[in-house]
Amino acid sequence: MKKITYICLSLILMSSAMIAQEQEANTPQKGHTNTNKFRQLYDEFSTPNMFRSASGAPGPAYYQQQADYKMDIVLDDKISRISGSETITYTNNSPDELKYLWVQLEQNKRAKDSKSPLIESSGVAPVMFPNAFTKEFMSEPLERGFNILEVKDINGKPLPHTINRTMMRVELPKPMKHGDKFSFSVKWWYNINDHVVEDGRSGYEYFPKDGNKAYVIAQFFPRMAVYSDVEGWQNSQFWGRDEFALPFGNYEVNITVPADHVLDGTGILTNRKEVYSKMMLERYETAKRTYDKPVLIVNQTEAESAEKGFSEETKTWKLKAENVRDFGFATSRKFILDMMAVKIGGKDVMAVSMYPKEGNPLWEEWSTRVVASTLESYSRMTFDYPYHKAISVHAKQQGMEYPMICWNYGRPDEDGTYSDRVKYGMMGVITHEVGHNFFPMIVNSDERQWTWMDEGLNTFVQYVAEQDFGEKYPSALSPQDKHFPSDRGPAKMIIPYMGGDQNFIAPIMTKGLNTYQFGNNAYGKPATALNILRETVMGRELFDYAFKEYANRWMFKHPTPEDFFRTMEDASAFDLDWYWRGWFYTTDWVDIGVKEVKKYFVSDEPNAYMRKYMEERGVKRNQLKPLVYLVEEGSEDFKEKMKTKSLLENSKPLQEYIMDNFTPEEQKSIKEPKYFYNVTFEKPGGLVMPIIVEYTYADGTSNQVTYPAQIWRFNDNEVSKAIASDKEIVSITVDPNEETADIDTSNNSWPQKIQQSDFDQFKEKIKG
Ligand SMILES: [Zn+2]
């Protein structure tokens, strides 16, 4: 009889694990599909292979193609036209035989027959800016796009080729086998677009006051597409939004421009002595040894006098670059030029800026300093910047990146004054575009397919670099700012987006062209996801090591999303499938709250739960083994005296158990908590995240506990924690430092804080 009682009891004495399972059983059944948010991403990821390892590293058979270019480029400043001829040498490192090559012709996005404008839906707006109205209703398509004059093999024999919009297929005389090289030449010209009026990622700005143009030139030559183990040929058309996929190669480029222009671009300037004046060369030598402030190579007075020249002569600037995926240059007689050296991994790198006088006084003060600081921060987070220079060029409304050179906005008013918004915007965009040297210029992801892989990763490091810059140069900050006011990265900045209308949100893992809210989707959310992963989920040490490992594994290679996801786990022992799934593959949001808190005391008297059991089974009091009963404060079994007595005074069985089972020495170190709580957390949001909780006690102290995300593995809606405490808990706050992007904080505290509704606030305002 006694034995039977004992067995029954073991069934009803629930462990907290059993309580959790009971909660799981209460979750509505969702059929037989495995919807557990912690299941591995086997269905989403491609199977690892010899090209790409399961660890996220390049596999033993990893390969990448190479495209080397020799180019002669002539700029006709009067009619804003580029004419070029190039010889491309393509190396097939793939195991595949290639019958044809795909060449990219992005200028055709602007051609008269471009389909890009046709995929944009449009409608008559009630209010329009004159420039938008002119563009929409009053402009004729301009003569734009590549004019391909010839495509020939090395012996001058024309090669059959077909242009399909922004892609050109060049047929090979015989298939290229693994290891083969093939050289061919292309001749072309195109009319350069005015990037201020017509938009575009390159072009010129016209300055009506002095009649000059400032050119920022890119996508100016037919460029090889990427052939890889993942996509085969990446020949997805350029519609204007998704950027570029480009193979690495070596470039020798000769650029002929008016003799009074100042030019710089990707690569080492190999004929500096021919194109620099004696004065410029002397100042350049000084700049190479100056680490604390920019040295002017061409100053504003000199640039202003050059503006009047309009030389009929020309000069050829020769640039040579190794292991770059693209080439860009900027040229104008309006350019002021300054430089400063920065030590990166024991080597000198030149931080360079080029800007018309319209950029001053902002640009001479800050551009080059931001470049140098950015290189330092990114090098710390990834690898030492491997190129010899990084140039920031000022171009109106531009923010665009190429190897070693980028275009950036941020222009003061005509009287030289500028707002905080202009200043921080300029510093932010320079940090961002210089940062793109790392992602995707060196860690060469496929921008055409995955915008977030360069923009998201880059925006994340941009946030780190901006904060560094603010610390390094407090004088760059306005008096009201303690830190650089980054607008992407901090968790709470992404709340309006993630908590917004689900009809206009797409998962991060969506091709850029097809996403709503492009900036939030491909820049803001992935950057925030990585920042939260670093600060809240993994911790800086584990995250930074893994992130650096990813950058180093894929430096000068072509990574995919899986290579990133896998490496972050591989180098940290952090199972992150749940995190990638939630943040990158869904549009779920974070909302975790505290639902209910119950307080308990112990007692020797059978409580209601046990009395019901005894009645149902006909069990008598004397048949029960000694038990500890937990009584909820305020319940019918609760008595005020339980509060005043100690734990052991309240429970004889507990007292006896301790006496019988612990030595006097052990008894001394036993804890005797006074308060027992059952705290229930709820999760209206779809994302599983750690529960960060701050418990505040009656004596004013508090402590913070983080329950890892896996706490949600059995129940996606609510979980509870039993807490034994010496001190009375007076309040509980979930996510006290607002670090998880919780979209609704009205359920984040216990006791619930009375939150003013918008309407109440509105009423108060009216009263005030
Ligand atoms: Zn970017």
Side-chain angles (χ1 to χ4, degrees):
M1 188 67 202
K2 239 183 175 177
K3 204 180 173 190
I4 292 166
T5 311
Y6 181 69
I7 291 167
C8 289
L9 272 177
S10 74
L11 284 175
I12 60 159
L13 295 182
M14 295 176 122
S15 67
S16 38
M18 288 163 74
I19 290 173
Q21 278 171 22
E22 189 181 75
Q23 286 173 351
E24 180 195 12
N26 291 337
T27 311
Q29 285 296 311
K30 287 168 184 154
H32 295 290
T33 317
N34 182 359
T35 56
N36 188 290
K37 288 177 178 167
F38 293 90
R39 71 194 188 278
Q40 297 293 290
L41 284 160
Y42 292 135
D43 294 341
E44 290 80 359
F45 283 8
S46 54
T47 310
N49 52 42
M50 290 295 277
F51 304 116
R52 286 163 206 272
S53 297
S55 68
Y62 175 82
Y63 71 86
Q64 62 193 24
Q65 307 292 67
Q66 178 154 343
D68 300 322
Y69 298 81
K70 283 190 176 152
M71 278 189 261
D72 290 299
I73 303 297
V74 178
L75 167 71
D76 188 330
D77 183 30
K78 281 191 187 128
I79 55 170
S80 307
R81 178 175 293 178
I82 290 239
S83 307
S85 65
E86 67 181 351
T87 300
I88 303 177
T89 301
Y90 189 71
T91 309
N92 180 17
N93 293 318
S94 84
D96 307 332
E97 220 178 73
L98 302 177
K99 232 176 100 182
Y100 44 79
L101 307 178
W102 280 102
V103 177
Q104 313 187 63
L105 306 174
E106 279 88 353
Q107 289 298 332
N108 288 356
K109 186 250 167 191
R110 260 186 284 281
K112 277 183 169 173
D113 61 354
S114 171
K115 289 193 167 61
S116 286
L118 303 178
I119 66 160
E120 302 303 333
S121 60
S122 58
V124 174
V127 184
M128 291 180 90
F129 284 111
N131 61 342
F133 187 92
T134 312
K135 206 167 152 186
E136 180 82 37
F137 300 117
M138 298 172 70
S139 58
E140 275 295 312
L142 295 163
E143 193 58 54
R144 297 286 183 260
F146 278 124
N147 296 275
I148 302 292
L149 304 177
E150 56 176 57
V151 181
K152 287 181 172 170
D153 72 7
I154 212 71
N155 303 313
K157 203 174 153 225
L159 288 167
H161 58 278
T162 304
I163 295 172
N164 171 11
R165 299 166 52 204
T166 63
M167 288 287 165
M168 176 166 74
R169 187 183 61 222
V170 177
E171 285 167 56
L172 295 164
K174 67 176 178 42
M176 285 182 83
K177 291 199 169 63
H178 170 78
D180 283 358
K181 281 180 192 295
F182 180 73
S183 293
F184 65 106
S185 63
V186 186
K187 270 203 173 81
W188 74 94
W189 64 266
Y190 74 94
N191 291 326
I192 305 168
N193 55 303
D194 177 333
H195 68 74
V196 180
V197 177
E198 301 168 54
D199 295 335
R201 295 166 195 277
S202 64
Y204 66 82
E205 176 184 357
Y206 176 62
F207 295 81
K209 280 194 179 162
D210 51 66
N212 279 287
K213 292 169 192 151
Y215 296 88
V216 286
I217 299 298
Q219 298 101 39
F220 63 95
F221 59 104
R223 305 183 292 176
M224 286 306 304
V226 167
Y227 184 86
S228 74
D229 59 293
V230 184
E231 296 281 349
W233 282 108
Q234 174 48 292
N235 55 8
S236 168
Q237 295 286 341
F238 179 60
W239 291 93
R241 183 193 263 184
D242 295 331
E243 291 180 307
F244 314 108
L246 298 154
F248 286 107
N250 302 324
Y251 287 68
E252 281 176 47
V253 185
N254 304 324
I255 309 165
T256 302
V257 295
D260 48 5
H261 271 212
V262 171
L263 181 148
D264 211 341
T266 306
I268 294 168
L269 181 60
T270 57
N271 66 337
R272 196 179 302 272
K273 285 188 179 137
E274 291 168 30
V275 289
Y276 269 27
S277 68
K278 199 162 163 279
M279 176 84 90
M280 285 168 75
L281 282 169
E282 276 168 23
R283 291 167 178 172
Y284 173 66
E285 289 305 318
T286 309
K288 285 205 286 189
R289 299 185 307 268
T290 307
Y291 299 88
D292 58 343
K293 59 176 190 298
V295 173
L296 284 159
I297 312 293
V298 176
N299 65 32
Q300 184 162 335
T301 316
E302 289 154 358
E304 280 179 35
S305 95
E307 280 180 355
K308 302 178 185 100
F310 297 97
S311 172
E312 297 284 332
E313 309 285 297
T314 61
K315 254 186 203 172
T316 300
W317 299 62
K318 296 179 178 173
L319 290 154
K320 198 173 166 186
E322 279 178 10
N323 218 8
V324 290
R325 56 162 254 175
D326 200 0
F327 193 100
F329 67 94
T331 183
S332 177
R333 60 178 68 83
K334 285 179 69 72
F335 282 148
I336 300 162
L337 175 65
D338 74 44
M339 298 185 194
M340 149 183 156
V342 52
K343 276 253 184 281
I344 303 285
K347 282 200 308 196
D348 281 341
V349 176
M350 294 306 282
V352 183
S353 297
M354 292 207 295
Y355 41 96
K357 65 174 188 294
E358 285 75 6
N360 271 338
L362 195 50
W363 276 70
E364 63 183 14
E365 180 74 21
W366 292 116
S367 175
T368 295
R369 288 183 169 95
V370 176
V371 174
S373 177
T374 300
L375 293 176
E376 288 174 325
S377 295
Y378 274 73
S379 295
R380 187 186 81 238
M381 293 294 287
T382 59
F383 41 76
D384 290 339
Y385 182 65
Y387 298 134
H388 73 293
K389 71 178 172 192
I391 312 163
S392 160
V393 183
H394 176 41
K396 194 176 186 180
Q397 295 164 14
Q398 284 282 341
M400 196 54 211
E401 72 278 11
Y402 303 97
M404 305 178 213
I405 189 165
C406 54
W407 339 135
N408 301 298
Y409 55 77
R411 185 168 296 180
D413 292 335
E414 272 184 44
D415 64 0
T417 60
Y418 50 84
S419 63
D420 275 2
R421 195 184 145 84
V422 168
K423 176 184 74 177
Y424 288 134
M426 170 255 198
M427 290 168 174
V429 73
I430 295 175
T431 308
H432 181 96
E433 307 307 340
V434 170
H436 270 310
N437 274 298
F438 295 80
F439 310 97
M441 295 304 151
I442 296 168
V443 180
N444 188 353
S445 57
D446 178 348
E447 298 177 277
R448 186 63 49 89
Q449 183 59 39
W450 302 118
T451 307
W452 72 268
M453 281 203 78
D454 66 299
E455 297 301 353
L457 266 60
N458 183 41
T459 304
F460 158 68
V461 190
Q462 178 194 346
Y463 168 63
V464 175
E466 283 172 350
Q467 296 307 307
D468 286 352
F469 179 75
E471 268 173 43
K472 210 174 296 171
Y473 293 104
S475 63
L477 304 179
S478 303
Q480 75 276 10
D481 295 318
K482 282 200 199 83
H483 308 285
F484 191 95
S486 299
D487 56 9
R488 282 175 174 149
K492 60 180 174 193
M493 311 296 267
I494 203 70
I495 291 172
Y497 168 68
M498 290 180 75
D501 186 345
Q502 282 285 317
N503 288 318
F504 300 100
I505 303 177
I508 293 173
M509 287 293 287
T510 308
K511 185 177 160 77
L513 182 69
N514 308 330
T515 62
Y516 307 101
Q517 305 192 61
F518 186 59
N520 284 320
N521 177 289
Y523 296 64
K525 186 179 166 190
T528 312
L530 295 179
N531 194 35
I532 292 174
L533 193 58
R534 180 180 192 232
E535 302 288 356
T536 301
V537 179
M538 295 173 76
R540 285 189 183 184
E541 205 180 325
L542 286 173
F543 178 96
D544 289 357
Y545 182 92
F547 190 78
K548 213 177 169 82
E549 179 67 14
Y550 165 73
N552 281 276
R553 280 179 176 182
W554 293 97
M555 179 184 189
F556 293 119
K557 294 192 174 70
H558 299 286
T560 64
E562 284 113 294
D563 297 323
F564 174 69
F565 295 145
R566 287 185 160 128
T567 296
M568 291 302 288
E569 289 196 351
D570 185 64
S572 69
F574 232 101
D575 182 359
L576 292 167
D577 289 53
W578 60 274
Y579 196 83
W580 307 136
R581 180 193 303 288
W583 282 83
F584 288 77
Y585 288 84
T586 79
T587 60
D588 282 342
W589 60 89
V590 180
D591 183 13
I592 295 174
V594 51
K595 186 186 175 190
E596 189 180 59
V597 179
K598 287 179 177 170
K599 193 188 209 178
Y600 291 87
F601 294 91
V602 298
S603 162
D604 290 343
E605 293 295 315
N607 54 16
Y609 179 86
M610 182 50 91
R611 290 197 303 277
K612 186 170 175 246
Y613 170 83
M614 287 157 68
E615 199 185 300
E616 279 171 9
R617 312 277 171 117
V619 177
K620 304 244 157 47
R621 176 91 195 261
N622 61 9
Q623 290 176 303
L624 293 174
K625 281 208 156 193
L627 290 168
V628 183
Y629 297 101
L630 287 130
V631 173
E632 191 189 336
E633 188 176 47
S635 69
E636 57 169 305
D637 297 319
F638 173 73
K639 295 180 186 70
E640 274 300 319
K641 67 173 189 208
M642 291 173 186
K643 270 177 155 176
T644 53
K645 289 199 281 183
S646 77
L647 171 64
L648 295 180
E649 283 164 351
N650 271 340
S651 175
K652 218 165 162 200
L654 208 53
Q655 225 168 46
E656 284 171 3
Y657 176 80
I658 288 165
M659 296 290 279
D660 294 349
N661 290 281
F662 293 85
T663 65
E665 201 55 33
E666 286 168 342
Q667 285 175 30
K668 273 187 222 159
S669 61
I670 229 156
K671 293 196 294 184
E672 202 187 331
K674 275 199 183 123
Y675 301 91
F676 300 89
Y677 297 93
N678 195 78
V679 183
T680 306
F681 299 100
E682 60 177 6
K683 189 171 75 59
L687 283 183
V688 284
M689 286 292 278
I691 314 177
I692 304 163
V693 193
E694 186 172 71
Y695 295 103
T696 304
Y697 304 97
D699 65 357
T701 60
S702 63
N703 75 322
Q704 199 167 302
V705 182
T706 298
Y707 306 111
Q710 281 78 1
I711 195 170
W712 301 106
R713 72 200 184 284
F714 293 132
N715 189 323
D716 196 38
N717 303 315
E718 62 176 62
V719 293
S720 66
K721 279 310 265 188
I723 292 159
S725 167
D726 281 344
K727 297 182 278 188
E728 188 182 6
I729 297 175
V730 292
S731 71
I732 299 176
T733 309
V734 171
D735 193 16
N737 305 318
E738 299 181 335
E739 56 190 288
T740 66
D742 192 320
I743 67 154
D744 177 10
T745 52
S746 67
N747 58 351
N748 284 29
S749 357
W750 173 87
Q752 208 174 17
K753 286 199 182 108
I754 308 294
Q755 292 212 338
Q756 269 192 326
S757 71
D758 288 349
F759 183 66
D760 289 338
Q761 281 178 2
F762 176 69
K763 275 198 300 194
E764 291 224 330
K765 232 183 185 172
I766 288 182
K767 267 192 266 167

